[in-house]
Amino acid sequence: MNLADSPGRVSPATAMKAQDSMSIQNDNEYKVEAAENMDELSNSNHYCTKMDNVGPAETIDDARRFAPVKQLDEKHGDTTKSISVDKLKGGGSDVSFEGEAGVCKGMQMHLTRKVTLVLSKVLPAVWDARDFVSYGEIARYIAIKDHVLFVYAEKSDPNYIYTVPLGSLKAVKENAKKPHKRSLTVSPGYGGGKDRQDSSMVNVLLLDARDKLAYQIAFNTKNDAESPDRFILAVQYVNIAEKKEEKVQVQKE
């Protein structure tokens, strides 16, 4: 068998320093200029100019001095057409009820809510059968006059938000143990379902002729324990007066 001859000894590697490129040696871009004298820079108007002395800040005693007074004095609404609570009480007829209460239309049914209602029956521990809302979210100031419920955001507001005719609605105090299927749990506490209702919250339901929930009025009885009953009596008075007017109208015809 023929074998290849062993290789000879190899000399150690050597390297030579590369020469500088002529283009770099002759290129002025690679040269660093000497720093300028900073004393000359400070005395030269070319580089900086002396600023004028700044006077003390002026205190503004009257904010309207620099404000757009003309725009501020413009009327942003016709106050002669507004109906505040005080103006409502100053009319010919009396206000049969007024006070603070939460106002809402109850549970709004949509596809997602219908699905969760079905799931609440299958998995009540996961899905709550009732919707809930805090009292602060729906808190309003309400007043009843001339068969109409006036709803204000606050008592001091110059005008009401909306009105609700009460002639065709009846007021019913909700049974906390058997709540209306479309009412909301107000100011929920611990627990689930109807048990989450705060014990101090009392709901009065305004129902139409088919017992369909039109509005839910929530009263915080910590401040006034008799407010739900006084509201119900006021609505009942409206219903009686409305029926009398209808009877008189029929007799005239």
Side-chain angles (χ1 to χ4, degrees):
M1 183 175 182
N2 297 326
L3 299 176
D5 297 335
S6 58
R9 180 174 293 180
V10 180
S11 302
T14 59
M16 297 178 63
K17 181 180 179 181
Q19 296 182 354
D20 295 336
S21 174
M22 295 300 296
S23 61
I24 295 179
Q25 291 179 359
N26 298 330
D27 196 340
N28 294 328
E29 294 182 1
Y30 292 90
K31 294 182 179 180
V32 180
E33 297 181 358
E36 298 185 32
N37 190 337
M38 298 305 297
D39 295 334
E40 295 180 358
L41 290 176
S42 60
N43 296 328
S44 175
N45 293 330
H46 178 72
Y47 294 97
C48 62
T49 57
K50 183 179 179 180
M51 300 297 295
D52 297 333
N53 293 332
V54 180
E58 182 180 355
T59 303
I60 300 176
D61 296 328
D62 184 8
R64 293 174 66 90
R65 179 178 174 186
F66 300 98
V69 180
K70 183 179 179 180
Q71 286 82 352
L72 291 175
D73 291 338
E74 289 180 357
K75 293 183 178 180
H76 297 281
D78 189 354
T79 56
T80 60
K81 296 182 180 179
S82 63
I83 303 178
S84 63
V85 176
D86 292 336
K87 187 179 291 187
L88 199 67
K89 293 189 290 186
S93 58
D94 296 332
V95 172
S96 57
F97 177 88
E98 68 168 304
E100 183 181 292
V103 183
C104 66
K105 289 188 175 182
M107 184 190 303
Q108 302 301 310
M109 293 301 298
H110 44 76
L111 180 59
T112 304
R113 192 62 186 114
K114 291 179 180 179
V115 173
T116 56
L117 284 175
V118 174
L119 292 174
S120 66
K121 297 178 181 179
V122 180
L123 298 171
V126 179
W127 300 94
D128 200 330
R130 293 180 58 79
D131 285 346
F132 56 87
V133 64
S134 68
Y135 179 76
E137 292 182 64
I138 60 174
R140 302 289 185 266
Y141 195 86
I142 60 176
I144 297 178
K145 181 176 181 175
D146 297 336
H147 306 187
V148 177
L149 173 66
F150 293 82
V151 182
Y152 296 83
E154 294 180 356
K155 183 179 180 179
S156 59
D157 283 1
N159 213 345
Y160 54 85
I161 306 173
Y162 58 90
T163 60
V164 179
L166 297 174
S168 61
L169 301 176
K170 62 179 178 180
V172 178
K173 185 183 293 185
E174 184 179 47
N175 185 348
K177 297 300 181 181
K178 296 180 180 180
H180 194 281
K181 61 181 180 180
R182 292 293 182 267
S183 67
L184 299 179
T185 299
V186 182
S187 292
Y190 297 101
K194 60 179 180 290
D195 295 330
R196 299 186 69 180
Q197 176 86 19
D198 192 307
S199 59
S200 64
M201 302 304 302
V202 176
N203 293 325
V204 175
L205 309 179
L206 293 177
L207 308 175
D208 61 13
R210 297 179 296 175
D211 287 339
K212 183 179 179 181
L213 180 61
Y215 284 90
Q216 176 181 344
I217 314 297
F219 293 93
N220 187 353
T221 57
K222 287 182 180 179
N223 303 326
D224 186 355
E226 297 179 356
S227 55
D229 295 329
R230 289 191 288 106
F231 179 82
I232 292 174
L233 288 174
V235 176
Q236 289 177 349
Y237 174 80
V238 171
N239 298 148
I240 295 172
E242 190 80 11
K243 290 180 179 178
K244 287 183 178 179
E245 291 181 3
E246 291 178 357
K247 186 179 294 185
V248 172
Q249 189 67 24
V250 171
Q251 291 175 353
K252 289 182 178 179
E253 294 177 354

